[in-house]
Amino acid sequence: MRLEAINEFVIRFANVNGTGSASANNMFSKAVFRMGVPVSPKNIFPSNIQGLPTWFEVRVTESGYLGSRGDVDFVVAINGQTLRKDYDTLVPGGYFLYDSTKALPRGFERDDVIDIGIPLTQMCIDNYSNPRQRQLFKNIIYVGALAYLFNMEFEVLTNMVKEQFAKKEKLIPPNVGALELGYNYAKEHYPDTCGLSVSRRDNVGDAIMIDGNSATGLGAVYGGATVCGWYPITPSTSVVEGFEKYAKKYRIDEHGKNKFALLQSEDELSAIGMAIGANWMGARAFTATSGPGLSLMGEFLGLAYFAEIPVVLVDVQRSGPSTGMPTRTQQSDVLSAAYASHGDTKQVVLIPCDPADCFEMMAKAFDVADRLQTPVIVLSDLDLGMNDHMSRPFVWDDNREYDRGKVLNAEQLENMKERWGRYKDVDGDGIGYRTYPGTHPTKGAYFTRGSSHDDYAAYTEDSSVYEANMERLVLKWETAKDVAPHPQIKYRDKDSKIAAIFYGTSAQASYEALDGLEAEGIKINTCRIKSFPFHNDIGSFIQEHDQIFVIEQNRDGQMRSLLISEFNFGTNRMQSILNIDGMPIRARRIKRKIERMLNGEKVSPFTTAHSSVEGA
Amino acid sequence: MSYLKSTFRHPESPKNKLGYTEAVYEGALSTLCAGCGHDSVSNSIIKACFELSLEPHKIAKMSGIGCSSKTPAYFLRSSHGFNSVHGRMPSVTTGANMANRDLTFIGISGDGDTASIGMGQFMHLVRRNLNMVYICMNNGVYGLTKGQDSATADIGSASKKGVPNMFEPMDLCELAISLGSGYVARSFSGDKSQLVPLIEGAIKHNGFALIDCISPCVTFNNNNASTKSYEWVRDHKEATGTFDLVPEEQEIVVQQPNQILETISLHDGSVLNLHRQPHSLDIQSRESVLSSLEEARQNEQMLTGLLYLNTDSRNTHELINSSEKPMNSFTKDELCPGSTILESINESLR
C-alpha cells in the first residue's frame, strides 16, 4: 500500500544545520506556490549555527489550510543523526528518500514504507570537486529528484534558479545541472514509484509569500516609524532587519541621509528606553524583542503606562521559560505582555495571525499607541515571524492619515483659554492632551514622571488625587476596547452551544480542525481574539455557549486565565486545548482532542505525543 | 527644604539677547535639604542657559531617579522635563535626541544613578557620542535611601554611618575619556565661577559632554571622614585652569598675565579661551590627562576644570547619517512609501 494524493501531502526534510539546505527547501516550497498550489513551509531549526539537526516541513495544501496538519507523508532524510527518528515519523504508506551512498542500517525494514534511495553523496563526489559545492549541490539534486517524483513542472524550478542568480549568471548552469542530475536519476530508477504529486492549479490568487517579521518591519515603515532602538534576540531580530531593509530603500532624503534612526542598543532596557524617549519627543518609535527581553522591559513599560507615553513593542514569542527553546515557537507571553510591569498595569496587545496581519497591525499599532498614549505590544511568535507564509497581499490606502492622537500644536496652545493640564480628562475618554518638547516658548511644558502626579503633571502623594488618576486610567482602558482591532466571530450555527476561542498562529490549524468536525456534523462557533483589552463581544460570545475550547500554545492556558480574570465568568465552561512541544499546533490533533472531549472522555489538555497519544 | 520662594526680582535685572531675565530660566521651589550642593548646580545651569541666551523651550531636561534627578523640576520651568527610571536616563535621552536633534539636551544624574545601576547605559551613551550635556551630581552616597555608599565613594571614605568604604571607586571622568568623550570636566557645586563656564562649554560642544560635579550631601555625607564633604573638597581640589566661553560674534577677552592662553574653536564658531598655569594639564592629550588624573589621585588631590577636549568628535546623528531634519517633524507623505510601491513589493513576493 502506498499513499496516493494530488496536492495534499506533508513532506519533511531532515538536514544538518549550516549546509545550505534551507534555501533548497525553500525553493521546493516556492515552486509549489508558483504552480498555483497553496503551500505552508515550516523551518524547524536548532539554536546553533552549524552541525545540529534541522528540519523543514512543507505542507502542500490545495484546500488552502495553512496551519500545521500533523503527520508526515514523505521524508527526505539527509541527516544520519536523525535517520531513525525520521523513518519512524512516517505514516503507513509514506515515502522515505535517503542517501543510498551507504546502505540503510539494520532495522529499517518497515513494510509499510516505500524506500527511495538516491546516492546523493556519490553523485556529488562524481560531479563536483569543490567540497562546498559537493555539500550545496546535494540539496539541489534532491530537489531535482522530487520534481520528477511529484511530476512537477521542471521549468518552474529552472526559472527560479535563473531569478535567484540573475546577478551571478555563472551560477545558473551548475545549479540547473544539479537539478537535472536528480531529476534524471529518479526518472531512471523510480518510475511510477510515488503516488504523491503536485499538479498546476489556480488556487493562490494574488497571494504573496513572506515571513511575518519582514511584514512587521515593512508595517513599521508604512506606519511612519522613524526611530528604533533594538537588541538582537531570536526570533525577533528579523523584524528590525526587515525595517532596515525597506527603510534603506524608501526612506532616504534628497541629501542621501536617512529619514530613520536605527541604533543597536546595549540591552533590551536601553532598546525600550530609546523607543520611549523618541515617542515622548513626538517621533514614532518601536523596538522588537522576545520573551526574555519582555521581562527586562517590564519596568519601562510601567513608566510608559503611567506617564502615558505611546510606544510600540513587537514581541515575537518563543518557547520559555527562561532561555527555554529559543528557536521553537510558543504563545506563552500572553500574561506577561497583558499585565507587564509592577503595580496595576494593563497593556494593549495586538495579535496578528499571518503576514498581512503583521503588516496591517504594525502600522495600526502606532495609531493605537498615539491615540491611547500608552504602550502597544504586537504579539507575534516564532512560527509566524520566521517562517514564510502564504498570505493575502499587503494593502495600503493612500488617503489613510496617521492618527497622532491628542497633541496640541503651538497655535492651539496660544489660543487656549482654560488652564491646560497634561493629564486632565477634558473629553471624558480618559485621555489628556499632550505636547511635544519645543512646541511653544511659554506654554505646554510639563514634567514627565513615573511618580504619582496630578492633572497638571505635578508630583503628588495626595491619596485622592492618586486614586482619581488610577481610575481615569481604567476609563482610558474602556476607550481602548473600541480603538483596538475587534475580534473575528464566526457562527457556524447560531443555535450551537459549542464554541472555540483562539488567537494568532493557533487560528489556522483550529479553523481546519473545526471544518473537519463540521463535515462530521459538529458545528462549533469561533472567536479569534485580535487584541487586548477584550472587546465586550468576546464576553457575550462566552455567555452564549456552554462548552468553549480555548486553543493555544502554552502550558498554563494563559489566554483562558486572562479571559476569566477580565470577565470574571466562564471558568467552568472554558476548556483548554494546549500545545507546548515547540512545534506549531497541529490541526489533526486539535480535531481528535475535541472529539474525545465532546465524547465526555477525561483527557489531558495537551495535544502532543508526550502527554497523550493524540493525532492520527 | 524651604517653604517659600521669593518672587521679588529687581526691576532692572539684566536681560540677555532674547530680552529674558534670569528669572525666566528658574524652576519650581526645591524640595532638597537646605544647603544641598545640587541646588547650587541648578543655579549654575540657570545662569549658563541665561548667559548663552538659549530659548528655554528648546531645551529638554532629562533625568533618572534619585535626589539629583529631581532637580530638573527646579530649573527651566518652560522646558519639558523627563524624570525617567533609575539609571536609564541615557537611553531615554538617546531616543529623544534621535527624534529631535535641534534641541539642547541637559541630562542630570547622580553617582548612584550613573555609576551603579546606570553604568551600562552611561558607558554606551559615551561610546555613541550623543550630543548632550551630562551632569553627574556626585556626592558619593545614596541620599533618598538614607546614606548607603555609592560606587564613587573613595576607599576609606566614610559617610555619616561611619563605616569606611572598602571598594575601589569609579572615576567617571577617566571612564568617559577612555570611551572617547570629547568634553570631560570635573567641578564642584560650591565653585560657581568655574562651573558656569564649564556648563556653557558643554552645551556648545558637539557631542557628548560630561561634567562630574562634586556636590556634597549635607545630610548623609558631609562629615569629617568623608572625601565628598564641602571641607575635604575645598582643601583638596586643584583647579587645572579657567576659561571663558566666547560666543561666535563676541570679541575675545584679554588674558591674565602669567598665564598661557589657548584658543580653541568649537563646532558652532564659538571660542574657548583657556587660561592655565605653565606645565599644567594638556587637555587635548588623552594619555597625559589620564596619567595626570591618576597622579592627582595618588596625591589625594582632586583635579577640577576642563580635563579633556576634542573638538573633532562626530555625534550620533553624524555617525549614523540621519537626516538634518528632526525625525518628529516628518509628515506622512515624507515617511510612507505609498500604495504603488507596496504593489511592487507584493509582486516581488509572488
Side-chain angles (χ1 to χ4, degrees):
Chain A
M1 143 221 192
R2 65 173 201 184
L3 283 179
E4 305 277 347
I6 302 168
N7 296 341
E8 290 288 355
F9 61 91
V10 173
I11 174 170
R12 179 178 258 221
F13 300 84
N15 302 91
V16 178
N17 200 28
T19 57
S21 58
S23 50
N25 300 339
N26 253 320
M27 182 168 142
F28 169 80
S29 156
K30 193 81 184 261
V32 175
F33 175 70
R34 291 244 171 123
M35 287 176 65
V37 179
V39 66
S40 174
K42 307 270 183 217
N43 192 7
I44 303 150
F45 60 101
S47 179
N48 166 268
I49 299 300
Q50 208 172 61
L52 289 183
T54 179
W55 292 271
F56 194 96
E57 196 173 291
V58 178
R59 177 174 189 189
V60 180
T61 167
E62 180 170 327
S63 51
Y65 290 121
L66 300 174
S68 196
R69 188 198 70 179
D71 303 326
V72 179
D73 305 325
F74 194 111
V75 163
V76 178
I78 306 300
N79 186 358
Q81 299 168 75
T82 61
L83 209 60
R84 177 85 246 171
K85 192 175 161 191
D86 297 325
Y87 189 71
D88 292 343
T89 56
L90 275 171
V91 297
Y95 302 85
F96 189 68
L97 189 159
Y98 66 100
D99 183 351
S100 60
T101 308
K102 258 174 76 179
L104 280 176
R106 252 202 257 229
F108 286 69
E109 285 111 15
R110 282 175 64 175
D111 53 13
D112 60 350
V113 163
I114 292 106
D115 290 342
I116 302 174
I118 300 181
L120 295 165
T121 304
Q122 193 58 52
M123 288 164 79
C124 286
I125 291 170
D126 295 345
N127 288 281
Y128 309 101
S129 52
N130 172 322
R132 183 66 186 157
Q133 280 193 341
R134 283 179 179 171
Q135 190 179 51
L136 291 176
F137 286 128
K138 193 196 271 190
N139 307 318
I140 307 295
I141 293 174
Y142 68 66
V143 173
L146 293 176
Y148 172 78
L149 294 167
F150 297 146
N151 196 22
M152 294 168 74
E153 294 169 16
F154 194 70
E155 59 282 6
V156 171
L157 285 165
T158 52
N159 286 341
M160 286 174 67
V161 167
K162 285 174 195 158
E163 270 173 43
Q164 193 186 339
F165 299 111
K167 284 178 186 152
K168 300 178 208 159
E169 275 192 18
K170 67 173 193 223
L171 291 178
I172 296 172
N175 273 284
V176 171
L179 284 171
E180 282 166 349
L181 269 178
Y183 189 93
N184 293 334
Y185 188 93
K187 187 177 181 185
E188 189 180 328
H189 296 86
Y190 298 101
D192 305 320
T193 303
C194 185
L196 306 175
S197 65
V198 181
S199 175
R200 180 167 283 280
R201 293 288 184 273
D202 190 13
N203 286 14
V204 304
D206 59 356
I208 56 173
M209 280 275 271
I210 188 173
D211 61 285
N213 284 351
S214 296
T216 305
L218 183 64
V221 172
Y222 272 73
T226 50
V227 179
C228 172
W230 71 290
Y231 188 75
I233 179 172
T234 303
S236 76
T237 307
S238 48
V239 170
V240 177
E241 287 170 346
F243 174 73
E244 186 179 20
K245 175 182 140 188
Y246 290 114
K248 276 184 168 168
K249 213 163 168 185
Y250 303 115
R251 284 278 195 79
I252 305 296
D253 73 11
E254 61 276 23
H255 309 292
K257 291 181 180 269
N258 301 329
K259 289 192 276 185
F260 64 96
L262 186 62
L263 282 180
Q264 185 180 322
S265 61
E266 59 273 25
D267 55 31
E268 286 90 346
L269 287 75
S270 177
I272 188 82
M274 288 180 191
I276 288 172
N279 275 293
W280 173 76
M281 188 57 82
R284 287 190 153 179
F286 76 101
T287 187
T289 192
S290 187
L294 179 68
S295 296
L296 286 173
M297 291 174 185
E299 186 188 19
F300 255 130
L301 288 168
L303 170 76
Y305 172 81
F306 197 46
E308 300 181 59
I309 303 164
V311 64
V312 174
L313 164 64
V314 183
D315 175 14
V316 187
Q317 301 165 97
R318 66 189 207 187
S319 297
S322 190
T323 307
M325 294 196 288
T327 60
R328 299 294 152 85
T329 197
Q330 217 164 60
Q331 295 180 307
S332 50
D333 294 345
V334 174
L335 286 170
S336 51
Y339 296 142
S341 206
H342 58 276
D344 289 316
T345 53
K346 292 185 183 204
Q347 312 289 3
V348 176
V349 180
L350 309 185
I351 313 174
C353 84
D354 62 20
D357 257 5
C358 288
F359 172 79
E360 172 53 32
M361 282 190 181
M362 187 61 179
K364 170 97 179 165
F366 292 98
D367 285 353
V368 175
D370 274 343
R371 172 57 42 191
L372 298 170
Q373 302 176 2
T374 201
V376 172
I377 301 172
V378 178
L379 198 61
S380 174
D381 64 30
L382 184 142
D383 175 22
L384 174 55
M386 292 191 72
N387 287 316
D388 274 358
H389 293 259
M390 199 177 97
S391 164
R392 294 168 285 129
F394 303 133
V395 180
W396 188 264
D397 176 0
D398 288 326
N399 295 318
R400 172 173 170 173
E401 294 299 328
Y402 295 157
D403 178 5
R404 299 306 314 263
K406 300 184 189 178
V407 182
L408 297 173
N409 61 28
E411 201 187 342
Q412 288 167 312
L413 283 167
E414 187 60 45
N415 297 330
M416 207 159 182
K417 296 203 174 57
E418 64 282 21
R419 184 183 172 204
W420 169 72
R422 164 67 184 90
Y423 299 106
K424 208 168 162 181
D425 181 14
V426 290
D427 299 330
D429 58 3
I431 305 167
Y433 285 80
R434 60 194 282 246
T435 56
Y436 302 153
T439 302
H440 189 283
T442 55
K443 295 176 176 174
Y446 68 100
F447 201 62
T448 304
R449 57 176 96 237
S451 46
S452 174
H453 42 266
D454 64 14
D455 282 357
Y456 301 94
Y459 181 74
T460 182
E461 288 175 12
D462 181 323
S463 307
S464 61
V465 175
Y466 168 81
E467 217 176 316
N469 187 42
M470 291 299 281
E471 283 172 11
R472 180 181 55 79
L473 288 169
V474 174
L475 178 60
K476 181 161 99 168
W477 189 247
E478 285 301 312
T479 304
K481 291 179 181 174
D482 260 325
V483 176
H486 293 189
Q488 188 175 334
I489 291 174
K490 284 186 189 166
Y491 291 94
R492 289 171 194 265
D493 177 358
K494 268 277 180 192
D495 298 327
S496 171
K497 291 290 167 196
I498 310 169
I501 293 178
F502 40 76
Y503 56 97
T505 53
S506 295
Q508 304 268 22
S510 298
Y511 284 127
E512 179 180 355
L514 301 183
D515 282 355
L517 288 164
E518 187 171 5
E520 292 165 17
I522 303 164
K523 290 184 179 169
I524 298 179
N525 298 327
T526 57
C527 170
R528 185 197 141 204
I529 294 173
K530 290 187 180 180
S531 65
F532 182 64
F534 295 129
H535 194 268
N536 293 333
D537 288 355
I538 298 175
S540 314
F541 183 82
I542 294 171
Q543 299 281 41
E544 284 164 16
H545 295 90
D546 296 335
Q547 188 172 18
I548 303 153
F549 303 105
V550 184
I551 305 165
E552 51 187 320
Q553 301 176 65
N554 57 62
R555 186 192 66 183
D556 296 339
Q558 294 190 23
M559 186 61 88
R560 179 177 175 273
S561 295
L562 192 59
L563 288 164
I564 291 167
S565 153
E566 292 292 312
F567 287 115
N568 206 20
F569 55 67
T571 313
N572 297 325
R573 279 175 283 151
M574 289 195 275
Q575 268 175 289
S576 279
I577 292 181
L578 306 168
N579 180 67
I580 55 162
D581 65 353
M583 303 296 150
I585 192 166
R586 276 76 112 201
R588 284 185 178 177
R589 296 188 181 188
I590 296 171
K591 177 168 177 274
R592 177 78 188 121
K593 184 65 74 178
I594 291 177
E595 281 167 347
R596 295 180 66 188
M597 283 178 168
L598 288 175
N599 213 18
E601 287 180 49
K602 287 252 178 267
V603 289
S604 103
F606 296 104
T607 58
T608 37
H610 270 285
S611 49
S612 62
V613 191
E614 295 298 338
Chain B
M1 66 174 278
S2 318
Y3 294 93
L4 286 172
K5 185 166 183 169
S6 168
T7 52
F8 175 78
R9 295 290 180 277
H10 194 283
E12 282 160 35
S13 303
K15 290 181 175 168
N16 64 13
K17 272 197 316 192
L18 298 170
Y20 295 149
T21 61
E22 207 172 297
V24 170
Y25 295 85
E26 291 174 0
L29 182 66
S30 169
T31 60
L32 298 171
C33 306
C36 177
H38 298 359
D39 286 331
S40 311
V41 183
S42 295
N43 288 331
S44 295
I45 294 169
I46 291 167
K47 186 94 184 160
C49 294
F50 165 75
E51 287 184 353
L52 289 181
S53 296
L54 299 182
E55 286 277 13
H57 73 294
K58 296 291 182 190
I59 301 170
K61 309 172 292 183
M62 314 300 288
S63 66
I65 292 291
C67 292
S68 55
S69 290
K70 290 172 143 194
T71 62
Y74 315 142
F75 57 84
L76 297 170
R77 72 165 64 80
S78 297
S79 308
H80 273 67
F82 196 152
N83 188 192
S84 66
V85 289
H86 201 14
R88 318 298 173 204
M89 177 267 278
S91 61
V92 176
T93 309
T94 303
N97 182 305
M98 289 301 99
N100 188 353
R101 62 190 296 174
D102 286 352
L103 300 193
T104 297
F105 291 86
I106 299 178
I108 306 294
S109 182
D111 40 306
D113 199 56
T114 298
S116 288
I117 190 169
M119 183 43 90
Q121 295 219 337
F122 171 73
M123 296 209 290
H124 288 276
L125 178 70
V126 180
R127 279 182 64 226
R128 291 185 194 106
N129 202 22
L130 193 78
N131 190 18
M132 73 174 293
V133 179
Y134 191 111
I135 299 175
C136 177
M137 299 181 178
N138 185 350
N139 56 17
V141 75
Y142 284 77
L144 274 179
T145 52
K146 306 199 172 183
Q148 299 78 19
D149 287 338
S150 85
T152 61
D154 290 310
I155 292 183
S157 175
S159 73
K160 196 176 166 188
K161 292 195 165 174
V163 184
N165 170 48
M166 292 171 282
F167 306 108
E168 277 289 330
M170 298 270 191
D171 185 320
L172 297 176
C173 291
E174 282 188 32
L175 274 170
I177 292 168
S178 58
L179 290 166
S181 170
Y183 187 104
V184 178
R186 177 168 286 138
S187 191
F188 172 47
S189 61
D191 188 353
K192 209 170 167 183
S193 63
Q194 182 192 53
L195 183 54
V196 172
L198 281 176
I199 295 171
E200 292 176 358
I203 290 171
K204 289 284 177 182
H205 175 71
N206 176 40
F208 183 81
L210 172 70
I211 300 173
D212 179 24
C213 188
I214 309 305
S215 173
C217 173
V218 288
T219 305
F220 296 108
N221 205 13
N222 197 30
N223 42 300
N224 291 337
S226 163
T227 61
K228 296 277 194 292
S229 65
Y230 278 108
E231 200 181 328
W232 197 98
V233 177
R234 285 205 180 99
D235 289 349
H236 294 77
K237 82 184 170 78
E238 189 70 39
T240 58
T242 57
F243 72 81
D244 316 308
L245 180 93
V246 186
E248 208 175 354
E249 62 276 22
Q250 287 177 23
E251 277 178 45
I252 293 172
V253 181
V254 180
Q255 80 225 59
Q256 305 283 315
N258 307 324
Q259 286 187 329
I260 294 174
L261 175 78
E262 252 178 88
T263 301
I264 302 168
S265 297
L266 294 182
H267 174 70
D268 68 344
S270 307
V271 167
L272 273 183
N273 283 329
L274 182 75
H275 312 268
R276 61 180 178 89
Q277 305 297 332
H279 314 298
S280 69
L281 215 52
D282 176 2
I283 62 160
Q284 288 180 297
S285 158
R286 270 218 259 201
E287 298 79 357
S288 122
V289 173
L290 288 171
S291 78
S292 299
L293 282 170
E294 212 36 58
E295 201 179 308
R297 182 139 68 124
Q298 281 164 21
N299 298 333
E300 293 209 333
Q301 282 181 327
M302 192 182 77
L303 292 189
T304 63
L306 182 59
L307 302 177
Y308 180 69
L309 181 67
N310 170 16
T311 53
D312 286 338
S313 69
R314 297 170 71 206
N315 72 39
T316 319
H317 281 287
E318 291 158 351
L319 291 167
I320 66 171
N321 191 38
S322 44
S323 178
E324 299 286 341
K325 204 177 155 192
M327 296 292 162
N328 70 351
S329 68
F330 286 118
T331 62
K332 185 204 89 176
D333 292 339
E334 292 167 292
L335 296 177
C336 182
S339 63
T340 311
I341 286 176
L342 193 60
E343 191 36 56
S344 71
I345 293 173
N346 280 331
E347 197 46 47
S348 72
L349 300 170
R350 286 178 179 132

